[in-house]
Amino acid sequence: MALYRKIIVVIFSLVVLVCLYAGVFHWMTADTAQAMKAERPELEWLRLEYNLDEEQFSEIRAKHEAHDIVCRDLCRRLVEARKQLDRAINEEGTMSPVVSAALAQWTEQRQRCREATLEHMYDVSSVMSPEAAKRYRERIFRQLIIPGRMPHVGDDGEFHEEIIDHAAPAENQR
Amino acid sequence: MNDDDLHSLLKQWEIDLPDDPRFRASVWREIATRDSSSCLDSLRSWLDRFSSPRLALPLGACAALAVMGTASLHGLHNREQTWSKLASTYASAIDPVMQMERESSLEARN
């Protein structure tokens, strides 16, 4: 075989290997690329990750959009509560009833937000298959409550952050 | 020819260098040509070694497997990163606390 012919064969082989790399990479990341191109990538992730059919997906999408309005309102209230707490801490020179009240209000608002999130999570998981619902709940717990801590105001009116044994996934309980 | 003759002949011998100003350049050019041909020779011998079907087929298969393995690992890593990012985006979209924390961190950054 002539030298130049051999060189062409080597170059052609390298091109084939590069194409093979690109093809395998594209095949491995096809679903993520599809999700990223969607209008709401996070919902597309939900659809692909939990194998939702069209009916399930449209129901969850409607629930998501309804929850979005509630979520924005709660977020606004939480920001207000935090600003009040910041103001009270900066203005008061000691742990006064004003600071305590602002802290209680902020904690209560935070708990309300988390309850709304968990309520939505249960609502969404009720649409999924039992196996997908279990995986979804575990994932959301992992994202929201690491490592299974839930802030709340106790009977004594004080701020607590306790481990929710029945809620957090086993690997997050430390 | 005896030793004396050779001795006297060598004494008479003069090196007659050509009176060409491009002589040195042409010598270097010749050296470069020989060097490049030695490169081509080594390339040729390297190609000859690997172009026998007995070696080329396993070598090609190994290269293809290595490329596929590397591409799979890279793709898997990329997929996990994107998936994790989308899961966080989803969680912050449904959780007001995470939304607030995100807005606070954005405010702090600005």
Side-chain angles (χ1 to χ4, degrees), chain A residues 3-4 6-7 10 17 20-21 24-25 28-29 31-32 35-36 41-43 45-46 48-49 64 67-68 71-72 74-75 78-79 82 106 110 113-114 117 120 124 136 139-140 143-144, chain B residues 40 43-44 46-48 51 60 63-65 67-68 70-76 78-79 82-101 103-104 107:
Chain A
L3 178 66
Y4 291 110
K6 284 177 185 170
I7 291 172
V10 169
L17 289 176
L20 188 66
Y21 190 97
V24 172
F25 182 81
M28 293 291 292
T29 57
D31 49 358
T32 52
M36 292 304 281
E42 69 274 18
L43 287 182
W45 164 79
L46 196 71
L48 293 167
E49 179 69 18
H64 185 85
H67 174 73
D68 201 37
C71 188
R72 280 173 199 280
L74 285 169
C75 178
L78 189 61
V79 169
R82 209 203 60 181
W106 176 73
R110 208 177 141 92
C113 290
R114 277 282 148 93
T117 306
H120 175 68
V124 167
Y136 169 76
R139 182 93 192 223
I140 299 301
Q143 293 288 145
L144 299 181
Chain B
L40 277 177
L43 179 67
R44 186 176 287 123
W46 186 82
L47 286 173
D48 284 341
S51 64
L65 280 176
V67 162
M68 280 164 73
T70 315
S72 300
L73 286 177
H74 186 198
L76 208 63
N78 185 285
R79 188 181 186 279
T82 313
W83 240 217
S84 165
K85 196 174 137 194
L86 286 176
S88 298
T89 310
Y90 175 77
S92 72
I94 63 165
D95 185 43
V97 177
M98 282 180 82
Q99 271 187 20
M100 188 213 66
E101 281 165 2
E103 281 174 18
S104 301
E107 268 177 32

Coordinates of all heavy atoms in Angstrom, one line a residue, chain A residues 3-4 6-7 10 17 20-21 24-25 28-29 31-32 35-36 41-43 45-46 48-49 64 67-68 71-72 74-75 78-79 82 106 110 113-114 117 120 124 136 139-140 143-144, chain B residues 40 43-44 46-48 51 60 63-65 67-68 70-76 78-79 82-101 103-104 107:
Chain A
L3 N 2.4 5.0 0.7 CA 2.4 5.7 1.9 C 1.2 6.7 2.1 O 0.6 6.7 3.1 CB 3.8 6.5 2.0 CG 3.9 7.3 3.2 CD1 4.0 6.5 4.5 CD2 5.2 8.2 3.1
Y4 N 1.0 7.4 1.0 CA -0.1 8.4 1.1 C -1.5 7.8 1.3 O -2.3 8.3 2.0 CB -0.1 9.3 -0.1 CG 1.1 10.2 -0.1 CD1 2.2 10.0 -1.0 CD2 1.3 11.2 0.9 CE1 3.3 10.8 -0.9 CE2 2.4 12.0 1.0 CZ 3.4 11.8 0.0 OH 4.6 12.5 0.1
K6 N -1.9 5.1 3.0 CA -2.0 4.7 4.4 C -2.3 5.9 5.3 O -3.0 5.8 6.3 CB -0.6 4.1 4.8 CG -0.4 2.7 4.3 CD 0.9 2.1 4.7 CE 1.2 0.8 4.1 NZ 2.5 0.3 4.2
I7 N -1.7 7.0 4.9 CA -1.9 8.2 5.7 C -3.4 8.6 5.7 O -4.1 9.0 6.6 CB -1.0 9.4 5.2 CG1 0.4 9.1 5.6 CG2 -1.5 10.7 5.8 CD1 1.4 10.0 5.0
V10 N -5.4 6.4 7.9 CA -5.2 6.8 9.4 C -6.1 8.0 9.6 O -6.8 8.1 10.6 CB -3.7 7.2 9.7 CG1 -3.6 7.8 11.0 CG2 -2.9 5.9 9.7
L17 N -13.5 7.9 14.5 CA -13.4 7.8 16.0 C -14.1 9.1 16.6 O -14.8 9.0 17.6 CB -12.0 7.6 16.5 CG -11.4 6.3 16.2 CD1 -10.0 6.2 16.7 CD2 -12.2 5.2 16.9
L20 N -17.7 8.8 16.2 CA -18.2 7.8 17.2 C -18.4 8.5 18.5 O -19.4 8.3 19.2 CB -17.2 6.7 17.2 CG -17.7 5.4 18.0 CD1 -18.9 4.8 17.4 CD2 -16.5 4.4 18.1
Y21 N -17.4 9.3 18.9 CA -17.4 10.0 20.2 C -18.6 10.9 20.3 O -19.4 10.9 21.3 CB -16.1 10.8 20.4 CG -15.9 11.3 21.8 CD1 -15.2 10.7 22.8 CD2 -16.6 12.5 22.2 CE1 -15.0 11.1 24.0 CE2 -16.4 13.0 23.5 CZ -15.6 12.3 24.4 OH -15.5 12.8 25.7
V24 N -22.0 8.9 20.5 CA -22.3 8.3 21.8 C -22.7 9.3 22.8 O -23.6 9.2 23.5 CB -21.1 7.4 22.3 CG1 -21.3 6.9 23.7 CG2 -20.9 6.2 21.4
F25 N -21.9 10.5 22.8 CA -22.2 11.6 23.7 C -23.6 12.1 23.5 O -24.3 12.3 24.4 CB -21.1 12.7 23.5 CG -21.3 13.8 24.5 CD1 -20.8 13.7 25.8 CD2 -21.9 15.0 24.1 CE1 -21.0 14.7 26.7 CE2 -22.1 16.0 25.0 CZ -21.7 15.9 26.3
M28 N -26.2 9.7 24.7 CA -26.3 9.7 26.2 C -27.0 10.9 26.8 O -27.5 10.8 27.9 CB -24.8 9.6 26.8 CG -24.1 8.3 26.6 SD -24.8 6.9 27.4 CE -24.4 7.3 29.1
T29 N -26.9 12.0 26.1 CA -27.4 13.3 26.6 C -28.6 13.8 25.9 O -29.0 15.0 26.0 CB -26.3 14.4 26.6 OG1 -25.8 14.5 25.3 CG2 -25.2 14.1 27.5
D31 N -31.9 13.1 26.2 CA -33.0 13.6 27.0 C -32.8 14.9 27.7 O -33.7 15.7 27.8 CB -33.5 12.5 28.0 CG -32.3 11.9 28.8 OD1 -31.2 12.3 28.5 OD2 -32.6 11.0 29.6
T32 N -31.5 15.1 28.2 CA -31.2 16.4 28.9 C -31.3 17.5 27.9 O -31.8 18.6 28.2 CB -29.8 16.3 29.6 OG1 -28.9 15.9 28.7 CG2 -29.8 15.4 30.8
A35 N -34.8 18.3 27.3 CA -35.3 19.1 28.5 C -34.9 20.5 28.5 O -35.7 21.4 28.7 CB -34.9 18.4 29.8
M36 N -33.6 20.8 28.2 CA -33.1 22.1 28.2 C -33.7 23.0 27.1 O -33.8 24.2 27.2 CB -31.6 22.1 28.1 CG -30.9 21.5 29.2 SD -31.3 22.3 30.8 CE -30.3 23.8 30.8
P41 N -37.9 24.0 31.4 CA -37.0 22.9 31.5 C -37.2 22.0 32.7 O -37.1 20.8 32.7 CB -35.6 23.5 31.5 CG -35.7 24.8 30.8 CD -37.1 25.3 31.2
E42 N -37.6 22.7 33.8 CA -37.7 21.9 35.1 C -38.9 21.0 35.0 O -38.9 19.9 35.6 CB -37.8 22.9 36.3 CG -39.0 23.8 36.4 CD -39.0 25.1 35.6 OE1 -38.1 25.2 34.7 OE2 -39.8 26.0 35.9
L43 N -40.0 21.4 34.3 CA -41.2 20.6 34.1 C -40.9 19.4 33.2 O -41.4 18.3 33.3 CB -42.4 21.4 33.7 CG -43.0 22.3 34.7 CD1 -44.2 23.0 34.1 CD2 -43.5 21.5 35.9
W45 N -38.0 18.1 32.9 CA -37.2 17.2 33.7 C -38.1 16.3 34.5 O -37.9 15.1 34.5 CB -36.3 18.0 34.7 CG -35.8 17.1 35.8 CD1 -34.7 16.3 35.7 CD2 -36.3 17.0 37.1 NE1 -34.6 15.7 36.9 CE2 -35.5 16.1 37.8 CE3 -37.4 17.7 37.8 CZ2 -35.8 15.7 39.2 CZ3 -37.6 17.3 39.1 CH2 -36.8 16.4 39.8
L46 N -39.2 16.9 35.0 CA -40.1 16.1 35.8 C -40.8 15.0 35.0 O -40.9 13.9 35.3 CB -41.2 17.0 36.4 CG -42.1 16.5 37.5 CD1 -41.3 16.4 38.8 CD2 -43.3 17.5 37.8
L48 N -39.7 13.6 32.1 CA -38.8 12.6 31.7 C -38.3 11.7 32.9 O -38.2 10.5 32.8 CB -37.6 13.2 31.0 CG -37.8 13.9 29.6 CD1 -36.7 14.7 29.2 CD2 -38.2 12.8 28.6
E49 N -38.0 12.4 34.0 CA -37.5 11.6 35.1 C -38.5 10.7 35.7 O -38.1 9.6 36.2 CB -37.0 12.7 36.2 CG -36.4 12.1 37.5 CD -35.1 11.4 37.3 OE1 -34.4 11.6 36.3 OE2 -34.7 10.6 38.2
H64 N -49.0 22.8 38.9 CA -47.8 23.6 39.1 C -48.1 25.1 38.9 O -47.6 25.9 39.6 CB -46.8 23.1 38.1 CG -45.4 23.8 38.2 ND1 -44.5 23.3 39.1 CD2 -44.9 24.8 37.6 CE1 -43.4 24.1 39.0 NE2 -43.6 25.0 38.1
H67 N -50.1 26.4 41.8 CA -49.2 26.5 43.0 C -48.3 27.7 42.8 O -47.9 28.4 43.8 CB -48.4 25.2 43.2 CG -47.4 25.3 44.3 ND1 -47.8 25.3 45.6 CD2 -46.1 25.4 44.3 CE1 -46.7 25.4 46.4 NE2 -45.7 25.5 45.6
D68 N -47.9 28.0 41.6 CA -46.9 29.1 41.3 C -47.5 30.4 41.9 O -46.7 31.2 42.4 CB -46.7 29.2 39.8 CG -45.4 29.9 39.5 OD1 -44.4 29.7 40.2 OD2 -45.4 30.6 38.5
C71 N -47.2 30.3 45.6 CA -45.8 30.3 46.0 C -45.2 31.7 45.9 O -44.5 32.1 46.8 CB -45.1 29.4 45.0 SG -43.4 29.1 45.4
R72 N -45.6 32.5 44.9 CA -45.0 33.8 44.8 C -45.6 34.7 45.9 O -44.8 35.5 46.5 CB -45.5 34.4 43.4 CG -44.6 34.0 42.3 CD -45.1 34.5 40.9 NE -44.6 33.7 39.9 CZ -43.4 33.8 39.4 NH1 -42.6 34.8 39.8 NH2 -42.9 33.1 38.4
L74 N -46.6 33.7 48.9 CA -45.9 33.3 50.2 C -44.5 33.8 50.2 O -44.0 34.2 51.3 CB -45.9 31.7 50.3 CG -47.2 31.1 50.7 CD1 -47.2 29.6 50.5 CD2 -47.6 31.4 52.1
C75 N -43.8 33.7 49.1 CA -42.4 34.2 49.0 C -42.4 35.7 49.3 O -41.5 36.2 50.1 CB -41.9 34.0 47.6 SG -40.2 34.6 47.3
L78 N -42.9 36.2 53.0 CA -41.7 35.7 53.7 C -40.6 36.8 53.6 O -39.9 37.0 54.6 CB -41.2 34.4 53.1 CG -40.0 33.7 53.9 CD1 -40.5 33.3 55.3 CD2 -39.6 32.4 53.1
V79 N -40.4 37.4 52.5 CA -39.4 38.5 52.3 C -39.8 39.6 53.3 O -38.9 40.2 54.0 CB -39.4 39.0 50.9 CG1 -38.6 40.3 50.7 CG2 -38.8 37.9 50.0
R82 N -38.9 38.7 56.8 CA -37.5 38.7 57.0 C -37.0 40.1 57.2 O -36.1 40.4 58.0 CB -36.8 38.0 55.9 CG -35.5 37.4 56.4 CD -34.5 37.2 55.3 NE -34.2 38.5 54.6 CZ -33.4 38.6 53.6 NH1 -32.8 37.6 53.1 NH2 -33.1 39.8 53.1
W106 N -41.5 35.5 61.4 CA -40.7 35.0 60.3 C -40.7 33.4 60.3 O -40.9 32.8 59.2 CB -39.3 35.5 60.5 CG -38.3 35.0 59.4 CD1 -38.3 35.3 58.1 CD2 -37.3 34.0 59.6 NE1 -37.3 34.6 57.5 CE2 -36.7 33.8 58.4 CE3 -36.9 33.2 60.7 CZ2 -35.7 32.9 58.2 CZ3 -35.8 32.3 60.5 CH2 -35.2 32.2 59.2
R110 N -42.2 31.0 57.5 CA -41.4 30.0 56.9 C -42.0 28.6 56.9 O -42.0 27.9 56.0 CB -40.0 30.0 57.6 CG -38.8 29.6 56.8 CD -37.6 29.7 57.6 NE -36.7 28.6 57.3 CZ -35.7 28.6 56.4 NH1 -35.5 29.7 55.7 NH2 -35.0 27.6 56.2
C113 N -44.8 28.4 54.5 CA -44.2 28.2 53.1 C -43.9 26.7 52.9 O -44.2 26.1 51.8 CB -43.0 29.0 52.9 SG -43.3 30.7 52.8
R114 N -43.2 26.1 53.9 CA -42.8 24.7 53.7 C -44.0 23.8 53.7 O -44.0 22.8 52.9 CB -41.8 24.3 54.8 CG -40.4 24.7 54.5 CD -39.7 23.8 53.6 NE -38.8 24.4 52.7 CZ -37.5 24.5 52.9 NH1 -37.0 24.0 54.0 NH2 -36.7 25.0 52.0
T117 N -45.4 23.9 50.3 CA -44.6 23.1 49.4 C -44.9 21.6 49.5 O -45.0 20.9 48.5 CB -43.1 23.4 49.6 OG1 -42.9 24.8 49.6 CG2 -42.2 22.7 48.6
H120 N -48.2 20.7 48.1 CA -48.1 20.6 46.6 C -47.4 19.4 46.2 O -47.8 18.7 45.2 CB -47.4 21.9 46.1 CG -47.1 21.8 44.6 ND1 -48.1 21.9 43.7 CD2 -46.0 21.7 43.9 CE1 -47.6 21.8 42.5 NE2 -46.3 21.7 42.5
V124 N -48.9 16.6 43.8 CA -48.3 16.2 42.5 C -48.0 14.7 42.5 O -48.3 14.0 41.5 CB -47.0 17.0 42.3 CG1 -46.1 16.3 41.1 CG2 -47.3 18.4 41.9
Y136 N -40.2 10.5 43.7 CA -40.4 12.0 43.6 C -40.4 12.6 45.0 O -39.7 13.6 45.2 CB -41.7 12.3 42.9 CG -42.2 13.7 43.0 CD1 -41.6 14.7 42.2 CD2 -43.2 14.1 43.8 CE1 -42.0 16.0 42.2 CE2 -43.7 15.4 43.9 CZ -43.0 16.4 43.1 OH -43.5 17.7 43.2
R139 N -36.9 12.6 46.5 CA -36.0 13.6 45.8 C -36.3 15.0 46.3 O -35.4 15.8 46.6 CB -36.3 13.5 44.3 CG -35.4 14.5 43.5 CD -34.2 13.8 43.1 NE -33.2 14.7 42.5 CZ -32.5 14.4 41.5 NH1 -32.7 13.3 40.8 NH2 -31.5 15.2 41.0
I140 N -37.6 15.3 46.4 CA -38.0 16.6 46.9 C -37.6 16.8 48.4 O -37.1 17.9 48.7 CB -39.5 16.9 46.6 CG1 -39.8 16.8 45.1 CG2 -40.0 18.3 47.2 CD1 -39.1 17.8 44.3
Q143 N -34.1 17.7 48.4 CA -33.8 19.0 47.9 C -34.2 20.1 48.9 O -33.5 21.1 49.1 CB -34.6 19.3 46.6 CG -34.2 18.6 45.4 CD -32.8 19.0 44.8 OE1 -32.1 18.2 44.4 NE2 -32.5 20.3 44.9
L144 N -35.3 19.9 49.6 CA -35.9 20.9 50.5 C -35.4 20.8 51.9 O -35.1 21.8 52.5 CB -37.4 20.8 50.5 CG -38.2 21.0 49.2 CD1 -39.6 20.9 49.5 CD2 -37.8 22.3 48.6
Chain B
L40 N 10.1 10.5 6.9 CA 9.1 9.7 6.0 C 9.3 8.2 6.2 O 8.4 7.4 6.3 CB 9.2 10.1 4.6 CG 8.5 11.4 4.1 CD1 8.8 11.7 2.7 CD2 7.0 11.2 4.3
L43 N 7.9 7.1 9.4 CA 6.5 7.1 9.3 C 6.0 5.9 8.6 O 5.1 5.2 9.0 CB 6.0 8.4 8.6 CG 4.5 8.5 8.4 CD1 3.8 8.6 9.8 CD2 4.1 9.7 7.5
R44 N 6.8 5.6 7.5 CA 6.4 4.5 6.7 C 6.6 3.2 7.5 O 5.7 2.3 7.4 CB 7.3 4.4 5.4 CG 7.0 3.3 4.4 CD 7.8 3.4 3.2 NE 7.5 4.5 2.3 CZ 8.3 5.5 1.9 NH1 9.6 5.5 2.4 NH2 7.9 6.4 1.1
W46 N 6.4 2.8 10.7 CA 5.4 2.8 11.7 C 4.0 2.4 11.1 O 3.3 1.5 11.7 CB 5.2 4.2 12.3 CG 4.3 4.3 13.5 CD1 4.6 4.0 14.8 CD2 3.0 4.8 13.4 NE1 3.5 4.3 15.6 CE2 2.5 4.7 14.8 CE3 2.1 5.2 12.5 CZ2 1.2 5.1 15.1 CZ3 0.8 5.6 12.8 CH2 0.4 5.5 14.1
L47 N 3.7 2.9 9.9 CA 2.5 2.5 9.3 C 2.5 1.1 8.8 O 1.5 0.4 9.0 CB 2.2 3.4 8.1 CG 1.7 4.9 8.4 CD1 1.7 5.7 7.1 CD2 0.4 4.9 9.1
D48 N 3.7 0.7 8.4 CA 3.8 -0.7 7.9 C 3.5 -1.7 9.1 O 2.9 -2.7 9.0 CB 5.2 -1.0 7.4 CG 5.3 -0.5 6.0 OD1 4.3 -0.2 5.3 OD2 6.5 -0.2 5.5
S51 N -0.3 -1.7 9.8 CA -1.2 -1.8 8.8 C -1.5 -3.3 8.4 O -2.3 -3.6 7.6 CB -0.8 -1.1 7.5 OG 0.4 -1.6 7.0
G60 N -8.0 -1.2 16.0 CA -9.1 -0.4 15.6 C -10.3 -0.7 16.6 O -10.9 0.2 17.1
A63 N -9.4 0.9 20.0 CA -9.6 2.4 19.9 C -11.1 2.7 19.9 O -11.5 3.7 20.6 CB -9.0 2.9 18.6
A64 N -11.9 2.0 19.2 CA -13.4 2.2 19.2 C -14.0 2.0 20.5 O -14.8 2.9 21.0 CB -14.0 1.3 18.1
L65 N -13.6 1.0 21.2 CA -14.1 0.7 22.6 C -13.7 1.8 23.5 O -14.5 2.3 24.4 CB -13.6 -0.7 23.1 CG -14.3 -1.9 22.6 CD1 -13.7 -3.1 23.1 CD2 -15.8 -1.9 23.0
V67 N -12.9 4.9 22.8 CA -13.6 6.1 22.5 C -15.1 6.1 23.0 O -15.6 7.0 23.6 CB -13.6 6.4 21.0 CG1 -14.7 7.3 20.5 CG2 -12.2 6.9 20.6
M68 N -15.7 4.9 22.8 CA -17.1 4.7 23.3 C -17.2 4.8 24.8 O -18.1 5.4 25.3 CB -17.7 3.4 22.8 CG -18.1 3.5 21.3 SD -18.4 1.9 20.6 CE -19.8 1.4 21.4
T70 N -15.1 6.4 26.9 CA -14.9 7.8 27.3 C -16.1 8.7 27.0 O -16.5 9.5 27.9 CB -13.6 8.3 26.6 OG1 -12.6 7.4 26.6 CG2 -13.1 9.6 27.2
A71 N -16.6 8.5 25.8 CA -17.8 9.3 25.5 C -19.0 9.0 26.4 O -19.7 9.9 26.8 CB -18.2 9.0 24.0
S72 N -19.2 7.7 26.8 CA -20.2 7.3 27.7 C -20.1 8.0 29.0 O -21.0 8.5 29.6 CB -20.3 5.8 27.9 OG -20.5 5.2 26.7
L73 N -18.8 7.9 29.6 CA -18.6 8.5 30.9 C -18.8 10.0 30.8 O -19.4 10.6 31.8 CB -17.1 8.2 31.3 CG -16.9 6.8 31.8 CD1 -15.4 6.6 32.1 CD2 -17.7 6.4 33.0
H74 N -18.3 10.7 29.8 CA -18.5 12.1 29.6 C -20.0 12.5 29.6 O -20.4 13.4 30.2 CB -17.7 12.6 28.4 CG -17.7 14.1 28.2 ND1 -17.4 14.6 27.0 CD2 -18.0 15.1 29.1 CE1 -17.5 15.9 27.1 NE2 -17.9 16.2 28.4
G75 N -20.7 11.7 28.8 CA -22.1 11.9 28.6 C -22.9 11.7 29.9 O -23.8 12.5 30.3
L76 N -22.5 10.6 30.6 CA -23.2 10.3 31.9 C -22.9 11.5 32.9 O -23.9 11.9 33.6 CB -22.6 9.0 32.5 CG -23.5 8.2 33.3 CD1 -24.7 7.7 32.6 CD2 -22.7 7.0 33.9
N78 N -22.2 14.6 32.3 CA -22.9 15.8 31.8 C -24.4 15.7 32.1 O -25.0 16.6 32.6 CB -22.7 15.9 30.3 CG -23.3 17.1 29.7 OD1 -24.5 17.2 29.5 ND2 -22.4 18.1 29.3
R79 N -24.9 14.5 31.9 CA -26.4 14.2 32.1 C -26.7 14.4 33.6 O -27.7 15.0 34.0 CB -26.7 12.8 31.7 CG -28.1 12.4 31.7 CD -28.3 11.0 31.2 NE -29.7 10.7 31.1 CZ -30.5 10.4 32.2 NH1 -30.0 10.3 33.4 NH2 -31.8 10.1 32.0
T82 N -26.6 18.1 34.6 CA -27.8 18.8 34.1 C -29.1 18.4 34.9 O -29.9 19.3 35.2 CB -28.0 18.6 32.6 OG1 -26.8 18.7 31.9 CG2 -29.0 19.5 32.0
W83 N -29.2 17.1 35.1 CA -30.4 16.6 35.8 C -30.4 17.2 37.2 O -31.5 17.6 37.7 CB -30.3 15.1 35.9 CG -31.4 14.3 35.3 CD1 -32.0 13.2 35.7 CD2 -32.1 14.7 34.1 NE1 -33.0 12.8 34.9 CE2 -33.1 13.7 33.9 CE3 -32.0 15.7 33.1 CZ2 -34.0 13.7 32.8 CZ3 -32.9 15.7 32.1 CH2 -33.9 14.7 31.9
S84 N -29.3 17.2 37.9 CA -29.2 17.8 39.3 C -29.6 19.3 39.3 O -30.3 19.8 40.2 CB -27.8 17.5 39.8 OG -27.6 18.3 40.9
K85 N -29.1 20.0 38.3 CA -29.4 21.4 38.1 C -30.9 21.6 37.9 O -31.5 22.5 38.5 CB -28.6 22.0 36.9 CG -28.5 23.5 36.9 CD -27.6 23.9 35.8 CE -28.2 25.1 35.0 NZ -27.5 25.3 33.8
L86 N -31.5 20.8 37.1 CA -32.9 20.9 36.8 C -33.8 20.5 38.0 O -34.8 21.2 38.3 CB -33.3 20.0 35.6 CG -32.9 20.6 34.2 CD1 -33.2 19.6 33.1 CD2 -33.5 21.9 33.9
A87 N -33.3 19.6 38.8 CA -34.0 19.2 40.0 C -34.0 20.3 41.0 O -35.1 20.6 41.6 CB -33.4 17.9 40.6
S88 N -32.9 21.0 41.1 CA -32.8 22.2 42.0 C -33.7 23.3 41.5 O -34.4 24.0 42.3 CB -31.4 22.7 42.1 OG -30.6 21.8 42.6
T89 N -33.7 23.5 40.2 CA -34.6 24.6 39.6 C -36.0 24.2 39.9 O -36.8 25.1 40.3 CB -34.4 24.7 38.1 OG1 -33.0 24.8 37.8 CG2 -35.1 25.9 37.5
Y90 N -36.4 23.0 39.8 CA -37.8 22.6 40.0 C -38.1 22.8 41.5 O -39.2 23.4 41.8 CB -38.0 21.1 39.7 CG -39.4 20.6 40.0 CD1 -40.5 20.9 39.3 CD2 -39.6 19.9 41.2 CE1 -41.8 20.5 39.6 CE2 -40.9 19.5 41.5 CZ -41.9 19.8 40.8 OH -43.2 19.4 41.1
A91 N -37.2 22.4 42.4 CA -37.5 22.5 43.8 C -37.6 24.0 44.2 O -38.5 24.4 45.0 CB -36.3 21.9 44.6
S92 N -36.8 24.8 43.6 CA -36.9 26.3 44.0 C -38.1 26.9 43.3 O -38.6 27.9 43.8 CB -35.6 27.0 43.6 OG -35.5 27.2 42.2
A93 N -38.7 26.3 42.3 CA -39.9 26.8 41.6 C -41.1 26.5 42.5 O -42.1 27.2 42.4 CB -40.0 26.2 40.2
I94 N -41.1 25.4 43.3 CA -42.3 25.1 44.1 C -42.1 25.4 45.5 O -43.1 25.3 46.3 CB -42.6 23.5 43.9 CG1 -41.5 22.7 44.5 CG2 -42.9 23.1 42.5 CD1 -41.9 21.2 44.8
D95 N -40.9 25.9 45.9 CA -40.7 26.2 47.3 C -40.5 27.7 47.6 O -39.4 28.2 47.1 CB -39.6 25.4 47.9 CG -39.4 25.6 49.3 OD1 -40.4 25.6 50.1 OD2 -38.2 25.7 49.8
P96 N -41.4 28.4 48.3 CA -41.2 29.9 48.5 C -39.9 30.2 49.3 O -39.2 31.2 49.1 CB -42.4 30.3 49.3 CG -43.4 29.2 49.2 CD -42.6 27.9 48.9
V97 N -39.5 29.3 50.2 CA -38.3 29.5 51.0 C -37.1 29.5 50.1 O -36.2 30.4 50.2 CB -38.2 28.4 52.1 CG1 -36.9 28.6 52.9 CG2 -39.4 28.4 53.1
M98 N -37.0 28.5 49.2 CA -35.9 28.5 48.3 C -35.9 29.7 47.4 O -34.8 30.2 47.0 CB -35.9 27.2 47.5 CG -35.3 26.0 48.4 SD -35.3 24.5 47.5 CE -33.8 24.6 46.6
Q99 N -37.1 30.1 47.0 CA -37.2 31.3 46.1 C -36.7 32.5 46.8 O -36.0 33.3 46.2 CB -38.7 31.5 45.7 CG -39.1 30.8 44.5 CD -40.5 31.1 44.0 OE1 -41.0 32.1 44.3 NE2 -41.1 30.2 43.2
M100 N -37.1 32.7 48.1 CA -36.6 33.8 48.8 C -35.1 33.8 49.0 O -34.5 34.8 48.9 CB -37.3 33.8 50.2 CG -37.1 35.1 51.0 SD -37.0 34.8 52.7 CE -35.5 33.8 52.9
E101 N -34.6 32.6 49.3 CA -33.1 32.5 49.5 C -32.4 32.8 48.2 O -31.4 33.5 48.3 CB -32.8 31.1 50.0 CG -33.0 30.9 51.5 CD -33.0 29.4 51.9 OE1 -32.8 28.5 51.1 OE2 -33.3 29.2 53.1
E103 N -33.6 34.8 45.8 CA -33.7 36.3 45.6 C -32.7 37.0 46.5 O -32.1 38.0 46.1 CB -35.1 36.7 45.8 CG -36.0 36.4 44.6 CD -37.5 36.7 44.8 OE1 -37.8 37.5 45.7 OE2 -38.3 36.2 44.0
S104 N -32.6 36.6 47.8 CA -31.7 37.2 48.8 C -30.3 37.1 48.3 O -29.6 38.1 48.4 CB -31.8 36.6 50.1 OG -33.2 36.7 50.6
E107 N -29.8 39.5 45.5 CA -29.8 40.9 46.0 C -28.4 41.2 46.6 O -27.8 42.2 46.4 CB -30.8 41.1 47.1 CG -32.1 41.7 46.6 CD -33.2 41.8 47.7 OE1 -32.8 42.1 48.8 OE2 -34.4 41.6 47.4

